[in-house]
Amino acid sequence: MLDKLEAVEARYEELNKLISDPEVISDQNAFKKYMKEQSGLVDVVEKYREYKKVKQNMDDAEEMMSDPEMKEMAEMEYYESKEKLQGLEEELKILLLPKDVNDDNNVIIEIRGGAGGDEAALFAHTLYRMYSMYADLNRWQVEVLDINETELGGIKEISFAIKGKGAYSKLKFESGVHRVQRVPETEASGRIHTSTVTVAVLPEVDEVEVEIVPSDLKIDTYRASGAGGQHVNKTESAVRITHIPTGIIVASQSERSQIQNRESCMKMLRAKLYEAMQEKQNEELANTRKLQVGSGARSEKIRTYNFPQGRVTDHRINFTMYQLETFVNGNMDSMIEALQAFDKAERLQAGE
């Protein structure tokens, strides 16, 4: 572990020199790349330097223990430093786990109503509201990219961006099928219905990470429309882009400007192409290990929201909360922290 930490510290110093180099500063792509890498090493380097300082204190105290006059004080210093050192070693093991390169990125979330018709669409709206409120609590920005609403106030499908440092690290485990059990407002007999909604969380990536060839794109424009087919505007501001090699289709009609909708489409397309690349890599990785916290597959049922019992359960980690109303109002940290802790424990056990 110490050899690894020395290598990390050496790389950190090398990056400090690189981001001060005028040639690198003039190349914005290289500068951003090195800055991002350096930022990812800061916590490890600071903790390692603290570790070295405590280790030095312990070694100095051990030397002083041979002096009868200093022995008692030196022993106290020695054992205090030794205990602190053990704690720092555990922290460093966690910090050395490979960090997801996308953890600091903004996210694009897609929510689609599944089984359950109007009730699924209403629950999709509930989830959109939940993530929006969670973003507000973290002082992140929410930007709707595309939305298809129902006349009852539900959402058939919605794509939106959440912008804020660390958004992906906290929301990446939300991908999968979310199941709701509750009595719909439209149900006169009071029977509990079960509906499902699919959530996909994609890291927002820039042009450097995903190269898109313009000739691979088919771009269509059309008039934006709202619930019931009413026109949001009378110009062809809505944009639909088809990526011909993969067949991926993205659309945006939330902005009044065709240019802005096109930008939103390209943002979603980059995220989807990046997701496809990641899925391919994950398939290869799955041959060596599979995280129990979940594959992130859209078909995997990950969570149940049971309104009559006031509970929310994440099936991947058998974690249940009985503050459902609080949870759907954006207070998701307990669940998210449990998922993150489980993920770290699994990776430590796997010996990454």
Side-chain angles (χ1 to χ4, degrees):
M1 186 175 82
L2 293 178
D3 288 344
K4 201 171 193 177
L5 287 164
E6 282 293 326
V8 169
E9 188 176 32
R11 177 59 178 165
Y12 179 78
E13 291 299 332
E14 182 184 2
L15 288 165
N16 278 340
K17 290 176 184 174
L18 283 167
I19 59 179
S20 302
D21 186 327
E23 284 189 24
V24 172
I25 294 170
S26 64
D27 182 346
Q28 278 300 298
N29 287 339
F31 182 73
K32 280 168 66 178
K33 178 185 170 186
Y34 292 140
M35 280 292 291
K36 187 175 181 179
E37 186 182 352
Q38 188 232 33
S39 175
L41 299 180
V42 170
D43 291 344
V44 182
V45 171
E46 287 181 352
K47 192 64 66 177
Y48 179 47
R49 286 173 177 171
E50 184 184 351
Y51 172 90
K52 287 196 289 186
K53 188 176 178 182
V54 172
K55 179 72 166 65
Q56 188 60 54
N57 287 345
M58 191 179 83
D59 293 342
D60 292 345
E62 189 173 25
E63 281 186 28
M64 288 192 292
M65 282 162 64
S66 59
D67 184 340
E69 293 182 7
M70 301 287 290
K71 185 178 179 183
E72 187 175 344
M73 187 178 73
E75 280 184 346
M76 188 181 298
E77 176 69 23
Y78 175 82
Y79 288 111
E80 280 180 4
S81 296
K82 187 176 181 181
E83 185 178 348
K84 192 173 182 181
L85 209 64
Q86 289 172 343
L88 288 169
E89 282 177 359
E90 291 305 311
E91 289 181 59
L92 282 166
K93 281 179 186 176
I94 292 171
L95 285 170
L96 276 176
L97 286 172
K99 188 178 178 184
D100 189 326
V101 294
N102 299 307
D103 272 354
D104 289 337
N105 289 21
N106 301 330
V107 297
I108 292 174
I109 299 180
E110 290 183 338
I111 301 175
R112 296 173 187 267
D118 286 335
E119 172 61 10
L122 289 169
F123 185 57
H125 185 276
T126 300
L127 290 185
Y128 166 63
R129 178 178 170 274
M130 178 180 81
Y131 292 128
S132 297
M133 293 179 81
Y134 182 68
D136 287 342
L137 290 171
N138 284 278
R139 297 183 180 178
W140 296 336
Q141 289 181 299
V142 178
E143 176 191 345
V144 175
L145 304 174
D146 192 39
I147 184 168
N148 184 356
E149 299 172 280
T150 68
E151 291 181 353
L152 293 176
I155 295 175
K156 289 182 181 176
E157 55 189 346
I158 184 171
S159 298
F160 59 100
I162 294 181
K163 300 179 179 183
K165 186 175 173 62
Y168 185 71
S169 70
K170 293 199 169 185
L171 294 169
K172 62 184 175 182
F173 297 123
E174 293 300 302
S175 288
V177 175
H178 295 240
R179 182 175 68 172
V180 61
Q181 295 172 325
R182 64 182 178 185
V183 179
E185 292 178 16
T186 54
E187 176 57 60
S189 66
R191 287 188 304 119
I192 295 171
H193 282 230
T194 298
S195 304
T196 60
V197 167
T198 302
V199 175
V201 180
L202 316 174
E204 185 179 305
V205 293
D206 57 35
E207 294 174 32
V208 178
E209 292 166 283
V210 177
E211 184 182 356
I212 298 173
V213 180
S215 60
D216 286 343
L217 304 178
K218 180 177 180 287
I219 302 172
D220 299 305
T221 58
Y222 56 98
R223 289 185 180 183
S225 61
Q230 295 174 340
H231 290 301
V232 174
N233 57 58
K234 296 179 181 179
T235 61
E236 293 196 345
S237 62
V239 176
R240 179 171 51 245
I241 297 179
T242 304
H243 186 251
I244 297 165
T246 61
I248 292 172
I249 299 172
V250 291
S252 178
Q253 61 172 353
S254 60
E255 302 292 343
R256 290 194 173 273
S257 158
Q258 190 181 113
I259 294 171
Q260 289 175 308
N261 282 323
R262 180 173 172 146
E263 286 175 1
S264 294
C265 280
M266 291 302 290
K267 195 183 292 184
M268 287 189 282
L269 181 58
R270 279 195 295 271
K272 284 175 177 285
L273 288 172
Y274 185 82
E275 181 195 33
M277 287 163 49
Q278 291 291 97
E279 280 181 358
K280 188 176 179 182
Q281 291 174 8
N282 289 341
E283 282 175 15
E284 295 167 3
L285 183 64
N287 294 327
T288 55
R289 72 160 176 85
K290 184 179 179 182
L291 285 177
Q292 289 182 30
V293 78
S295 63
R298 300 186 188 196
S299 59
E300 180 184 10
K301 185 185 76 178
I302 64 166
R303 194 174 296 152
T304 295
Y305 303 73
N306 186 300
F307 279 80
Q309 296 178 15
R311 67 171 170 86
V312 54
T313 298
D314 195 287
H315 305 292
R316 296 163 296 179
I317 58 174
N318 295 320
F319 184 86
T320 297
M321 294 174 59
Y322 283 92
Q323 299 87 30
L324 177 55
E325 288 296 334
T326 302
F327 187 80
V328 295
N329 282 329
N331 294 285
M332 302 171 62
D333 274 331
S334 296
M335 179 74 76
I336 287 168
E337 286 165 10
L339 285 160
Q340 289 176 323
F342 190 90
D343 178 50
K344 283 178 182 175
E346 284 291 297
R347 291 194 288 143
L348 276 171
Q349 191 175 353
E352 285 193 352

PDB file of all heavy atoms in Angstrom, residues 96-111:
ATOM      1  N   LEU A  96      -7.983   4.727  -1.533  1.00  0.00           N
ATOM      2  CA  LEU A  96      -7.235   4.130  -2.647  1.00  0.00           C
ATOM      3  C   LEU A  96      -8.113   3.290  -3.573  1.00  0.00           C
ATOM      4  O   LEU A  96      -7.662   2.876  -4.638  1.00  0.00           O
ATOM      5  CB  LEU A  96      -6.089   3.260  -2.122  1.00  0.00           C
ATOM      6  CG  LEU A  96      -4.788   3.994  -1.778  1.00  0.00           C
ATOM      7  CD1 LEU A  96      -3.780   3.025  -1.188  1.00  0.00           C
ATOM      8  CD2 LEU A  96      -4.191   4.686  -2.995  1.00  0.00           C
ATOM      9  N   LEU A  97      -9.365   3.046  -3.158  1.00  0.00           N
ATOM     10  CA  LEU A  97     -10.262   2.322  -4.063  1.00  0.00           C
ATOM     11  C   LEU A  97     -10.387   3.107  -5.360  1.00  0.00           C
ATOM     12  O   LEU A  97     -10.477   4.337  -5.334  1.00  0.00           O
ATOM     13  CB  LEU A  97     -11.647   2.172  -3.429  1.00  0.00           C
ATOM     14  CG  LEU A  97     -11.792   1.157  -2.309  1.00  0.00           C
ATOM     15  CD1 LEU A  97     -13.173   1.281  -1.676  1.00  0.00           C
ATOM     16  CD2 LEU A  97     -11.582  -0.256  -2.817  1.00  0.00           C
ATOM     17  N   PRO A  98     -10.384   2.431  -6.504  1.00  0.00           N
ATOM     18  CA  PRO A  98     -10.507   3.157  -7.774  1.00  0.00           C
ATOM     19  C   PRO A  98     -11.754   4.031  -7.774  1.00  0.00           C
ATOM     20  O   PRO A  98     -12.859   3.551  -7.535  1.00  0.00           O
ATOM     21  CB  PRO A  98     -10.624   2.041  -8.815  1.00  0.00           C
ATOM     22  CG  PRO A  98     -10.038   0.840  -8.155  1.00  0.00           C
ATOM     23  CD  PRO A  98     -10.302   0.981  -6.689  1.00  0.00           C
ATOM     24  N   LYS A  99     -11.580   5.304  -8.027  1.00  0.00           N
ATOM     25  CA  LYS A  99     -12.707   6.239  -8.032  1.00  0.00           C
ATOM     26  C   LYS A  99     -13.359   6.232  -9.406  1.00  0.00           C
ATOM     27  O   LYS A  99     -12.672   6.185 -10.419  1.00  0.00           O
ATOM     28  CB  LYS A  99     -12.215   7.646  -7.691  1.00  0.00           C
ATOM     29  CG  LYS A  99     -13.337   8.644  -7.483  1.00  0.00           C
ATOM     30  CD  LYS A  99     -12.791  10.009  -7.109  1.00  0.00           C
ATOM     31  CE  LYS A  99     -13.926  11.018  -6.955  1.00  0.00           C
ATOM     32  NZ  LYS A  99     -13.448  12.375  -6.683  1.00  0.00           N
ATOM     33  N   ASP A 100     -14.669   6.242  -9.403  1.00  0.00           N
ATOM     34  CA  ASP A 100     -15.403   6.354 -10.662  1.00  0.00           C
ATOM     35  C   ASP A 100     -15.058   7.704 -11.275  1.00  0.00           C
ATOM     36  O   ASP A 100     -15.265   8.749 -10.649  1.00  0.00           O
ATOM     37  CB  ASP A 100     -16.909   6.258 -10.382  1.00  0.00           C
ATOM     38  CG  ASP A 100     -17.740   6.140 -11.647  1.00  0.00           C
ATOM     39  OD1 ASP A 100     -17.339   6.736 -12.671  1.00  0.00           O
ATOM     40  OD2 ASP A 100     -18.785   5.481 -11.609  1.00  0.00           O
ATOM     41  N   VAL A 101     -14.524   7.696 -12.482  1.00  0.00           N
ATOM     42  CA  VAL A 101     -14.075   8.939 -13.126  1.00  0.00           C
ATOM     43  C   VAL A 101     -15.216   9.923 -13.331  1.00  0.00           C
ATOM     44  O   VAL A 101     -14.991  11.118 -13.529  1.00  0.00           O
ATOM     45  CB  VAL A 101     -13.389   8.662 -14.486  1.00  0.00           C
ATOM     46  CG1 VAL A 101     -12.097   7.907 -14.291  1.00  0.00           C
ATOM     47  CG2 VAL A 101     -14.326   7.903 -15.432  1.00  0.00           C
ATOM     48  N   ASN A 102     -16.462   9.422 -13.258  1.00  0.00           N
ATOM     49  CA  ASN A 102     -17.612  10.298 -13.491  1.00  0.00           C
ATOM     50  C   ASN A 102     -18.235  10.846 -12.208  1.00  0.00           C
ATOM     51  O   ASN A 102     -19.224  11.585 -12.271  1.00  0.00           O
ATOM     52  CB  ASN A 102     -18.697   9.532 -14.268  1.00  0.00           C
ATOM     53  CG  ASN A 102     -18.198   9.071 -15.619  1.00  0.00           C
ATOM     54  OD1 ASN A 102     -17.691   9.859 -16.401  1.00  0.00           O
ATOM     55  ND2 ASN A 102     -18.316   7.788 -15.896  1.00  0.00           N
ATOM     56  N   ASP A 103     -17.683  10.486 -11.048  1.00  0.00           N
ATOM     57  CA  ASP A 103     -18.327  10.837  -9.785  1.00  0.00           C
ATOM     58  C   ASP A 103     -18.612  12.333  -9.612  1.00  0.00           C
ATOM     59  O   ASP A 103     -19.611  12.708  -9.013  1.00  0.00           O
ATOM     60  CB  ASP A 103     -17.492  10.332  -8.602  1.00  0.00           C
ATOM     61  CG  ASP A 103     -17.853   8.899  -8.223  1.00  0.00           C
ATOM     62  OD1 ASP A 103     -18.821   8.360  -8.804  1.00  0.00           O
ATOM     63  OD2 ASP A 103     -17.181   8.315  -7.362  1.00  0.00           O
ATOM     64  N   ASP A 104     -17.736  13.175 -10.109  1.00  0.00           N
ATOM     65  CA  ASP A 104     -17.930  14.619  -9.940  1.00  0.00           C
ATOM     66  C   ASP A 104     -18.825  15.239 -11.018  1.00  0.00           C
ATOM     67  O   ASP A 104     -19.124  16.426 -10.972  1.00  0.00           O
ATOM     68  CB  ASP A 104     -16.573  15.347  -9.933  1.00  0.00           C
ATOM     69  CG  ASP A 104     -15.780  15.064  -8.661  1.00  0.00           C
ATOM     70  OD1 ASP A 104     -16.415  14.713  -7.651  1.00  0.00           O
ATOM     71  OD2 ASP A 104     -14.548  15.185  -8.678  1.00  0.00           O
ATOM     72  N   ASN A 105     -19.236  14.424 -11.989  1.00  0.00           N
ATOM     73  CA  ASN A 105     -19.986  14.954 -13.135  1.00  0.00           C
ATOM     74  C   ASN A 105     -21.430  15.322 -12.801  1.00  0.00           C
ATOM     75  O   ASN A 105     -22.010  14.837 -11.826  1.00  0.00           O
ATOM     76  CB  ASN A 105     -20.020  13.931 -14.278  1.00  0.00           C
ATOM     77  CG  ASN A 105     -18.677  13.765 -14.950  1.00  0.00           C
ATOM     78  OD1 ASN A 105     -17.637  14.071 -14.393  1.00  0.00           O
ATOM     79  ND2 ASN A 105     -18.688  13.261 -16.166  1.00  0.00           N
ATOM     80  N   ASN A 106     -21.986  16.181 -13.658  1.00  0.00           N
ATOM     81  CA  ASN A 106     -23.432  16.395 -13.651  1.00  0.00           C
ATOM     82  C   ASN A 106     -24.087  15.106 -14.138  1.00  0.00           C
ATOM     83  O   ASN A 106     -23.413  14.224 -14.684  1.00  0.00           O
ATOM     84  CB  ASN A 106     -23.816  17.528 -14.611  1.00  0.00           C
ATOM     85  CG  ASN A 106     -23.138  18.836 -14.257  1.00  0.00           C
ATOM     86  OD1 ASN A 106     -22.836  19.100 -13.092  1.00  0.00           O
ATOM     87  ND2 ASN A 106     -22.897  19.673 -15.262  1.00  0.00           N
ATOM     88  N   VAL A 107     -25.413  14.999 -13.957  1.00  0.00           N
ATOM     89  CA  VAL A 107     -26.108  13.793 -14.428  1.00  0.00           C
ATOM     90  C   VAL A 107     -27.279  14.156 -15.333  1.00  0.00           C
ATOM     91  O   VAL A 107     -27.829  15.255 -15.251  1.00  0.00           O
ATOM     92  CB  VAL A 107     -26.645  12.918 -13.269  1.00  0.00           C
ATOM     93  CG1 VAL A 107     -25.535  12.391 -12.415  1.00  0.00           C
ATOM     94  CG2 VAL A 107     -27.669  13.668 -12.431  1.00  0.00           C
ATOM     95  N   ILE A 108     -27.620  13.208 -16.190  1.00  0.00           N
ATOM     96  CA  ILE A 108     -28.858  13.290 -16.956  1.00  0.00           C
ATOM     97  C   ILE A 108     -29.715  12.113 -16.500  1.00  0.00           C
ATOM     98  O   ILE A 108     -29.260  10.964 -16.515  1.00  0.00           O
ATOM     99  CB  ILE A 108     -28.589  13.213 -18.471  1.00  0.00           C
ATOM    100  CG1 ILE A 108     -27.851  14.481 -18.940  1.00  0.00           C
ATOM    101  CG2 ILE A 108     -29.904  13.045 -19.239  1.00  0.00           C
ATOM    102  CD1 ILE A 108     -27.410  14.451 -20.377  1.00  0.00           C
ATOM    103  N   ILE A 109     -30.918  12.406 -16.046  1.00  0.00           N
ATOM    104  CA  ILE A 109     -31.823  11.369 -15.552  1.00  0.00           C
ATOM    105  C   ILE A 109     -33.005  11.236 -16.507  1.00  0.00           C
ATOM    106  O   ILE A 109     -33.589  12.235 -16.928  1.00  0.00           O
ATOM    107  CB  ILE A 109     -32.326  11.693 -14.130  1.00  0.00           C
ATOM    108  CG1 ILE A 109     -31.139  11.773 -13.147  1.00  0.00           C
ATOM    109  CG2 ILE A 109     -33.322  10.636 -13.652  1.00  0.00           C
ATOM    110  CD1 ILE A 109     -31.537  12.099 -11.715  1.00  0.00           C
ATOM    111  N   GLU A 110     -33.315   9.998 -16.841  1.00  0.00           N
ATOM    112  CA  GLU A 110     -34.499   9.706 -17.652  1.00  0.00           C
ATOM    113  C   GLU A 110     -35.469   8.911 -16.799  1.00  0.00           C
ATOM    114  O   GLU A 110     -35.094   7.909 -16.188  1.00  0.00           O
ATOM    115  CB  GLU A 110     -34.132   8.862 -18.877  1.00  0.00           C
ATOM    116  CG  GLU A 110     -33.323   9.583 -19.925  1.00  0.00           C
ATOM    117  CD  GLU A 110     -33.057   8.691 -21.137  1.00  0.00           C
ATOM    118  OE1 GLU A 110     -33.124   7.448 -20.984  1.00  0.00           O
ATOM    119  OE2 GLU A 110     -32.820   9.223 -22.219  1.00  0.00           O
ATOM    120  N   ILE A 111     -36.716   9.353 -16.742  1.00  0.00           N
ATOM    121  CA  ILE A 111     -37.758   8.630 -16.007  1.00  0.00           C
ATOM    122  C   ILE A 111     -38.873   8.294 -16.990  1.00  0.00           C
ATOM    123  O   ILE A 111     -39.343   9.168 -17.716  1.00  0.00           O
ATOM    124  CB  ILE A 111     -38.321   9.481 -14.846  1.00  0.00           C
ATOM    125  CG1 ILE A 111     -37.205   9.860 -13.867  1.00  0.00           C
ATOM    126  CG2 ILE A 111     -39.422   8.721 -14.116  1.00  0.00           C
ATOM    127  CD1 ILE A 111     -37.657  10.806 -12.757  1.00  0.00           C
TER     128      ILE A 111
END
